[in-house]
mmCIF file of all heavy atoms in Angstrom:
data_model
loop_
_atom_site.group_PDB
_atom_site.id
_atom_site.type_symbol
_atom_site.label_atom_id
_atom_site.label_comp_id
_atom_site.label_asym_id
_atom_site.label_seq_id
_atom_site.Cartn_x
_atom_site.Cartn_y
_atom_site.Cartn_z
ATOM 1 N N ARG A 58 11.946 22.579 21.093
ATOM 2 C CA ARG A 58 10.752 23.321 21.524
ATOM 3 C C ARG A 58 9.467 22.657 21.039
ATOM 4 O O ARG A 58 8.429 22.741 21.712
ATOM 5 C CB ARG A 58 10.838 24.767 21.049
ATOM 6 C CG ARG A 58 11.774 25.609 21.916
ATOM 7 C CD ARG A 58 12.012 26.973 21.332
ATOM 8 N NE ARG A 58 12.799 27.800 22.242
ATOM 9 C CZ ARG A 58 13.462 28.897 21.865
ATOM 10 N NH1 ARG A 58 13.423 29.285 20.590
ATOM 11 N NH2 ARG A 58 14.158 29.599 22.749
ATOM 12 N N GLU A 59 9.513 22.020 19.887
ATOM 13 C CA GLU A 59 8.343 21.251 19.427
ATOM 14 C C GLU A 59 8.055 20.120 20.403
ATOM 15 O O GLU A 59 6.904 19.883 20.787
ATOM 16 C CB GLU A 59 8.586 20.690 18.021
ATOM 17 C CG GLU A 59 8.678 21.723 16.919
ATOM 18 C CD GLU A 59 7.331 22.332 16.586
ATOM 19 O OE1 GLU A 59 6.294 21.807 17.037
ATOM 20 O OE2 GLU A 59 7.308 23.351 15.867
ATOM 21 N N VAL A 60 9.097 19.421 20.813
ATOM 22 C CA VAL A 60 8.927 18.322 21.768
ATOM 23 C C VAL A 60 8.464 18.853 23.113
ATOM 24 O O VAL A 60 7.550 18.293 23.743
ATOM 25 C CB VAL A 60 10.231 17.515 21.918
ATOM 26 C CG1 VAL A 60 10.079 16.430 22.987
ATOM 27 C CG2 VAL A 60 10.639 16.890 20.587
ATOM 28 N N CYS A 61 9.068 19.949 23.563
ATOM 29 C CA CYS A 61 8.697 20.536 24.861
ATOM 30 C C CYS A 61 7.222 20.927 24.887
ATOM 31 O O CYS A 61 6.523 20.697 25.886
ATOM 32 C CB CYS A 61 9.561 21.763 25.149
ATOM 33 S SG CYS A 61 11.291 21.391 25.545
ATOM 34 N N ALA A 62 6.734 21.518 23.793
ATOM 35 C CA ALA A 62 5.330 21.931 23.735
ATOM 36 C C ALA A 62 4.408 20.724 23.851
ATOM 37 O O ALA A 62 3.372 20.773 24.536
ATOM 38 C CB ALA A 62 5.064 22.686 22.432
ATOM 39 N N HIS A 63 4.774 19.620 23.217
ATOM 40 C CA HIS A 63 3.917 18.438 23.265
ATOM 41 C C HIS A 63 4.012 17.714 24.600
ATOM 42 O O HIS A 63 3.039 17.067 25.019
ATOM 43 C CB HIS A 63 4.266 17.502 22.108
ATOM 44 C CG HIS A 63 3.528 17.836 20.855
ATOM 45 N ND1 HIS A 63 2.439 17.135 20.415
ATOM 46 C CD2 HIS A 63 3.715 18.855 19.962
ATOM 47 C CE1 HIS A 63 1.984 17.683 19.296
ATOM 48 N NE2 HIS A 63 2.744 18.710 19.004
ATOM 49 N N LEU A 64 5.137 17.818 25.276
ATOM 50 C CA LEU A 64 5.247 17.205 26.600
ATOM 51 C C LEU A 64 4.266 17.834 27.586
ATOM 52 O O LEU A 64 3.828 17.181 28.538
ATOM 53 C CB LEU A 64 6.672 17.344 27.134
ATOM 54 C CG LEU A 64 7.695 16.359 26.574
ATOM 55 C CD1 LEU A 64 9.113 16.775 26.967
ATOM 56 C CD2 LEU A 64 7.411 14.934 27.053
ATOM 57 N N LYS A 65 3.886 19.079 27.357
ATOM 58 C CA LYS A 65 2.906 19.735 28.226
ATOM 59 C C LYS A 65 1.511 19.163 27.998
ATOM 60 O O LYS A 65 0.651 19.211 28.879
ATOM 61 C CB LYS A 65 2.895 21.236 27.956
ATOM 62 C CG LYS A 65 4.183 21.947 28.336
ATOM 63 C CD LYS A 65 4.112 23.432 27.984
ATOM 64 C CE LYS A 65 5.412 24.144 28.328
ATOM 65 N NZ LYS A 65 5.367 25.582 27.947
ATOM 66 N N ILE A 66 1.284 18.625 26.791
ATOM 67 C CA ILE A 66 -0.015 18.049 26.443
ATOM 68 C C ILE A 66 -0.059 16.568 26.788
ATOM 69 O O ILE A 66 -1.022 16.070 27.379
ATOM 70 C CB ILE A 66 -0.293 18.225 24.929
ATOM 71 C CG1 ILE A 66 -0.219 19.696 24.527
ATOM 72 C CG2 ILE A 66 -1.640 17.621 24.554
ATOM 73 C CD1 ILE A 66 -0.219 19.909 23.019
ATOM 74 N N ALA A 67 1.003 15.869 26.399
ATOM 75 C CA ALA A 67 1.069 14.417 26.587
ATOM 76 C C ALA A 67 2.451 14.044 27.105
ATOM 77 O O ALA A 67 3.421 14.092 26.354
ATOM 78 C CB ALA A 67 0.783 13.694 25.270
ATOM 79 N N PRO A 68 2.574 13.702 28.371
ATOM 80 C CA PRO A 68 3.893 13.426 28.954
ATOM 81 C C PRO A 68 4.632 12.274 28.296
ATOM 82 O O PRO A 68 5.852 12.179 28.417
ATOM 83 C CB PRO A 68 3.577 13.104 30.423
ATOM 84 C CG PRO A 68 2.263 13.766 30.678
ATOM 85 C CD PRO A 68 1.513 13.677 29.380
ATOM 86 N N ARG A 69 3.934 11.401 27.602
ATOM 87 C CA ARG A 69 4.600 10.284 26.946
ATOM 88 C C ARG A 69 4.850 10.630 25.480
ATOM 89 O O ARG A 69 3.924 10.907 24.730
ATOM 90 C CB ARG A 69 3.758 9.016 27.042
ATOM 91 C CG ARG A 69 4.480 7.794 26.506
ATOM 92 C CD ARG A 69 3.682 6.530 26.753
ATOM 93 N NE ARG A 69 4.413 5.358 26.275
ATOM 94 C CZ ARG A 69 3.941 4.121 26.313
ATOM 95 N NH1 ARG A 69 2.730 3.898 26.811
ATOM 96 N NH2 ARG A 69 4.650 3.117 25.870
ATOM 97 N N GLN A 70 6.109 10.606 25.072
ATOM 98 C CA GLN A 70 6.483 10.942 23.705
ATOM 99 C C GLN A 70 7.313 9.847 23.048
ATOM 100 O O GLN A 70 7.911 10.068 21.999
ATOM 101 C CB GLN A 70 7.259 12.264 23.671
ATOM 102 C CG GLN A 70 6.402 13.475 24.000
ATOM 103 C CD GLN A 70 5.308 13.722 22.983
ATOM 104 O OE1 GLN A 70 5.482 13.504 21.792
ATOM 105 N NE2 GLN A 70 4.160 14.170 23.451
ATOM 106 N N ALA A 71 7.362 8.685 23.660
ATOM 107 C CA ALA A 71 8.123 7.571 23.097
ATOM 108 C C ALA A 71 7.617 6.279 23.716
ATOM 109 O O ALA A 71 6.992 6.290 24.785
ATOM 110 C CB ALA A 71 9.616 7.732 23.375
ATOM 111 N N THR A 72 7.866 5.169 23.029
ATOM 112 C CA THR A 72 7.483 3.871 23.584
ATOM 113 C C THR A 72 8.402 3.475 24.726
ATOM 114 O O THR A 72 8.018 2.710 25.606
ATOM 115 C CB THR A 72 7.521 2.795 22.484
ATOM 116 O OG1 THR A 72 8.818 2.797 21.863
ATOM 117 C CG2 THR A 72 6.470 3.067 21.424
ATOM 118 N N ASN A 73 9.621 4.004 24.724
ATOM 119 C CA ASN A 73 10.568 3.753 25.806
ATOM 120 C C ASN A 73 10.388 4.838 26.866
ATOM 121 O O ASN A 73 10.478 6.032 26.570
ATOM 122 C CB ASN A 73 12.006 3.771 25.257
ATOM 123 C CG ASN A 73 13.017 3.314 26.287
ATOM 124 O OD1 ASN A 73 12.757 3.384 27.491
ATOM 125 N ND2 ASN A 73 14.168 2.859 25.829
ATOM 126 N N SER A 74 10.133 4.457 28.080
ATOM 127 C CA SER A 74 9.856 5.431 29.142
ATOM 128 C C SER A 74 11.098 6.166 29.618
ATOM 129 O O SER A 74 11.005 7.189 30.297
ATOM 130 C CB SER A 74 9.183 4.732 30.329
ATOM 131 O OG SER A 74 10.023 3.712 30.829
ATOM 132 N N SER A 75 12.278 5.672 29.279
ATOM 133 C CA SER A 75 13.526 6.274 29.745
ATOM 134 C C SER A 75 14.217 7.010 28.597
ATOM 135 O O SER A 75 14.533 6.418 27.571
ATOM 136 C CB SER A 75 14.457 5.196 30.308
ATOM 137 O OG SER A 75 15.695 5.762 30.680
ATOM 138 N N SER A 76 14.427 8.325 28.758
ATOM 139 C CA SER A 76 15.084 9.121 27.732
ATOM 140 C C SER A 76 15.736 10.329 28.375
ATOM 141 O O SER A 76 15.061 11.178 28.973
ATOM 142 C CB SER A 76 14.077 9.578 26.666
ATOM 143 O OG SER A 76 14.643 10.574 25.849
ATOM 144 N N ARG A 77 17.048 10.432 28.252
ATOM 145 C CA ARG A 77 17.764 11.586 28.817
ATOM 146 C C ARG A 77 17.373 12.860 28.080
ATOM 147 O O ARG A 77 17.305 13.942 28.681
ATOM 148 C CB ARG A 77 19.276 11.348 28.722
ATOM 149 C CG ARG A 77 19.782 10.226 29.642
ATOM 150 C CD ARG A 77 21.209 9.845 29.313
ATOM 151 N NE ARG A 77 22.110 10.969 29.490
ATOM 152 C CZ ARG A 77 23.336 11.037 28.975
ATOM 153 N NH1 ARG A 77 23.799 10.023 28.235
ATOM 154 N NH2 ARG A 77 24.096 12.085 29.188
ATOM 155 N N PHE A 78 17.092 12.757 26.770
ATOM 156 C CA PHE A 78 16.673 13.938 26.021
ATOM 157 C C PHE A 78 15.305 14.442 26.509
ATOM 158 O O PHE A 78 15.121 15.645 26.743
ATOM 159 C CB PHE A 78 16.610 13.614 24.526
ATOM 160 C CG PHE A 78 15.893 14.668 23.706
ATOM 161 C CD1 PHE A 78 16.344 15.976 23.679
ATOM 162 C CD2 PHE A 78 14.760 14.345 22.970
ATOM 163 C CE1 PHE A 78 15.683 16.951 22.937
ATOM 164 C CE2 PHE A 78 14.091 15.298 22.226
ATOM 165 C CZ PHE A 78 14.558 16.606 22.212
ATOM 166 N N LEU A 79 14.353 13.533 26.686
ATOM 167 C CA LEU A 79 13.040 13.956 27.164
ATOM 168 C C LEU A 79 13.120 14.527 28.573
ATOM 169 O O LEU A 79 12.382 15.464 28.920
ATOM 170 C CB LEU A 79 12.055 12.788 27.115
ATOM 171 C CG LEU A 79 11.631 12.314 25.719
ATOM 172 C CD1 LEU A 79 10.655 11.148 25.830
ATOM 173 C CD2 LEU A 79 11.006 13.453 24.913
ATOM 174 N N GLU A 80 14.002 13.978 29.400
ATOM 175 C CA GLU A 80 14.187 14.531 30.737
ATOM 176 C C GLU A 80 14.690 15.959 30.667
ATOM 177 O O GLU A 80 14.272 16.825 31.443
ATOM 178 C CB GLU A 80 15.150 13.655 31.554
ATOM 179 C CG GLU A 80 14.545 12.337 32.004
ATOM 180 C CD GLU A 80 13.283 12.534 32.828
ATOM 181 O OE1 GLU A 80 13.281 13.404 33.716
ATOM 182 O OE2 GLU A 80 12.294 11.822 32.555
ATOM 183 N N ALA A 81 15.605 16.233 29.724
ATOM 184 C CA ALA A 81 16.098 17.603 29.551
ATOM 185 C C ALA A 81 14.969 18.530 29.118
ATOM 186 O O ALA A 81 14.863 19.668 29.597
ATOM 187 C CB ALA A 81 17.230 17.616 28.525
ATOM 188 N N CYS A 82 14.103 18.062 28.220
ATOM 189 C CA CYS A 82 12.970 18.869 27.778
ATOM 190 C C CYS A 82 12.019 19.156 28.940
ATOM 191 O O CYS A 82 11.517 20.284 29.090
ATOM 192 C CB CYS A 82 12.219 18.161 26.645
ATOM 193 S SG CYS A 82 13.114 18.069 25.082
ATOM 194 N N LYS A 83 11.774 18.159 29.769
ATOM 195 C CA LYS A 83 10.898 18.352 30.921
ATOM 196 C C LYS A 83 11.515 19.358 31.901
ATOM 197 O O LYS A 83 10.799 20.198 32.474
ATOM 198 C CB LYS A 83 10.647 17.020 31.619
ATOM 199 C CG LYS A 83 9.798 16.046 30.806
ATOM 200 C CD LYS A 83 9.711 14.690 31.487
ATOM 201 C CE LYS A 83 8.943 13.689 30.623
ATOM 202 N NZ LYS A 83 8.899 12.337 31.230
#
Side-chain angles (χ1 to χ4, degrees):
R58 282 172 174 161
E59 293 287 348
V60 176
C61 289
H63 273 258
L64 281 169
K65 294 178 182 178
I66 304 169
R69 186 174 182 183
Q70 291 296 324
T72 55
N73 189 337
S74 59
S75 176
S76 167
R77 291 169 61 197
F78 167 59
L79 290 180
E80 287 303 315
C82 291
K83 291 174 184 177

